[in-house]
């Protein structure tokens, strides 16, 4: 087994035979969050980051350079769910920053708190509706460096735009996971990705990339954009 450093702090590749496994350095040794594997290595305990379970891991495998994570001190995460992806972002930023994790579903939030928050100090759970950013405006220490949006709702683009305008710094990064079927199940996903990216452009975002998440997630894409203010 060979461990290969990346340009992202606390993110590694584990090479095992002809297999290449994405991993983050586990901030909470011995603890797993979604049945991911743990590896004892010379750089510490590494936690597998599964692209079929996390859209952010999927885009890394599809070639997106997430080096901007090294400088992120404040991150706003919309649709944190039970915390699969945010647990890896938490490993990456460790004590350099904080992640605000917004989730609307009460049971999901409770599971998130029990599973992830109870072990990690760099995530602040926010039990709110991401459609109403004014309700958590006083809690979030903004401007944030990055907005991550994965809410799978018909108005997901509006939610991403609204929160970015409320909290994101000028030149800040947006990672917005689009679920095409939540917007229109009858339309070709690629058409939806183009239309939603256009809406963002009109609202002052520079689209840096649109990554189709196949084969990890069907009918999903990640819009990688910069907020021009
Ligand atoms: C696809 S899941 C997110 C998966 C998660 N991002 C991950 O990778 O680990 C979408 C989540 O968004 C939440 N959600 C949907 N609408 C929301 C809203 N208006 N405000 C906050 N959370 C919302 C859902 O309850 C659900 O947990």
């Amino acid at each position: 087994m060979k461990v290969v450093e990346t340009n992202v702090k606390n993110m590694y590749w584990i090479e095992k035979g002809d297999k290449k496994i994405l991993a983050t350095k586990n901030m909470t040794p011995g603890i797993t969050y979604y049945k991911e594997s743990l590896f004892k290595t010379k750089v510490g305990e590494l936690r597998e980051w599964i692209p079929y379970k996390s859209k952010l891991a999927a885009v890394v495998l599809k070639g997106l350079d997430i080096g901007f994570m090294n400088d992120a001190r404040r991150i706003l995460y919309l649709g944190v769910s039970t915390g699969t992806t945010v647990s890896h972002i938490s490993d990456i930023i460790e004590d350099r920053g904080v992640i605000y994790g917004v989730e609307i579903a009460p049971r999901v939030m409770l599971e998130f708190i029990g599973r992830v928050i109870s072990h990690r100090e760099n995530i602040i759970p926010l039990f709110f509706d991401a459609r109403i950013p004014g309700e958590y405006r006083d809690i979030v220490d903004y401007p944030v460096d990055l907005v991550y949006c994965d809410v799978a709702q018909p108005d997901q683009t509006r939610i991403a735009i609204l929160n970015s305008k409320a909290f994101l710094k000028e030149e800040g990064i947006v990672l917005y996971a689009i679920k095409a079927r939540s917007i229109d199940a009858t339309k070709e996903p690629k058409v939806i990705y183009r239309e939603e990216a256009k809406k963002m452009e009109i609202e002052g975002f520079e689209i840096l990339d649109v990554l189709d998440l196949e084969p990890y997630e069907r009918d999903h894409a990640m819009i990688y954009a910069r907020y021009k203010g």
Side-chain angles (χ1 to χ4, degrees):
M1 184 172 82
K2 190 173 153 204
V3 175
V4 182
E5 255 183 50
T6 70
N7 64 326
V8 179
K9 214 170 174 283
N10 299 319
M11 188 175 97
Y12 295 85
W13 290 106
I14 300 171
E15 294 180 358
K16 262 182 112 184
D18 56 358
K19 257 176 101 185
K20 229 177 138 189
I21 300 164
L22 185 65
T24 57
K25 188 168 171 184
N26 195 0
M27 251 182 106
T28 58
I31 298 172
T32 60
Y33 298 85
Y34 59 102
K35 298 197 175 109
E36 69 280 27
S37 300
L38 297 178
F39 301 87
K40 298 271 178 221
T41 75
K42 59 179 188 320
V43 298
E45 186 180 273
L46 298 185
R47 200 157 63 83
E48 177 187 20
W49 192 2
I50 306 174
Y52 292 95
K53 302 252 172 84
S54 167
K55 294 165 199 118
L56 187 54
V59 290
V60 172
L61 272 114
K62 299 233 40 175
L64 182 69
D65 178 357
I66 59 164
F68 51 81
M69 285 285 179
N70 292 332
D71 300 321
R73 295 292 172 268
R74 289 189 285 257
I75 296 173
L76 178 64
Y77 191 127
L78 311 166
V80 82
S81 189
T82 53
T84 299
T85 297
V86 82
S87 70
H88 289 284
I89 300 177
S90 163
D91 277 347
I92 289 171
I93 70 162
E94 19 160 46
D95 56 3
R96 302 192 306 282
V98 66
I99 309 153
Y100 298 94
V102 182
E103 175 55 54
I104 195 174
R107 285 212 189 120
V108 175
M109 179 48 98
L110 272 179
E111 200 176 326
F112 172 50
I113 290 171
R115 195 189 287 189
V116 181
I117 294 296
S118 54
H119 302 293
R120 290 173 179 263
E121 288 180 0
N122 63 358
I123 313 171
I124 296 172
L126 297 177
F127 176 40
F128 287 104
D129 182 347
R131 290 187 180 95
I132 319 171
E135 292 199 341
Y136 42 96
R137 213 184 167 101
D138 290 344
I139 307 171
V140 176
D141 183 16
Y142 63 93
V144 301
D145 305 295
L146 170 71
V147 170
Y148 188 94
C149 179
D150 181 17
V151 290
Q153 294 295 308
D155 56 343
Q156 51 196 322
T157 305
R158 192 182 150 269
I159 290 174
I161 293 172
L162 208 60
N163 280 271
S164 300
K165 290 197 165 188
F167 298 107
L168 191 57
K169 71 176 186 189
E170 220 179 294
E171 300 291 318
I173 296 293
V174 184
L175 285 173
Y176 159 37
I178 306 186
K179 182 175 181 183
R181 298 198 167 276
S182 294
I183 292 175
D184 189 338
T186 64
K187 256 190 201 165
E188 190 56 39
K190 281 191 173 48
V191 174
I192 294 177
Y193 307 153
R194 252 198 321 272
E195 288 175 353
E196 301 309 298
K198 190 77 210 159
K199 284 182 194 166
M200 291 186 72
E201 257 172 7
I202 292 166
E203 293 288 341
F205 296 82
E206 179 191 358
I207 305 300
L208 303 172
D209 209 346
V210 180
L211 298 111
D212 195 312
L213 299 192
E214 290 269 6
Y216 306 108
E217 286 274 4
R218 270 195 81 188
D219 301 337
H220 281 74
M222 185 74 82
I223 294 189
Y224 169 41
R226 186 181 290 129
Y227 183 45
K228 304 308 278 183

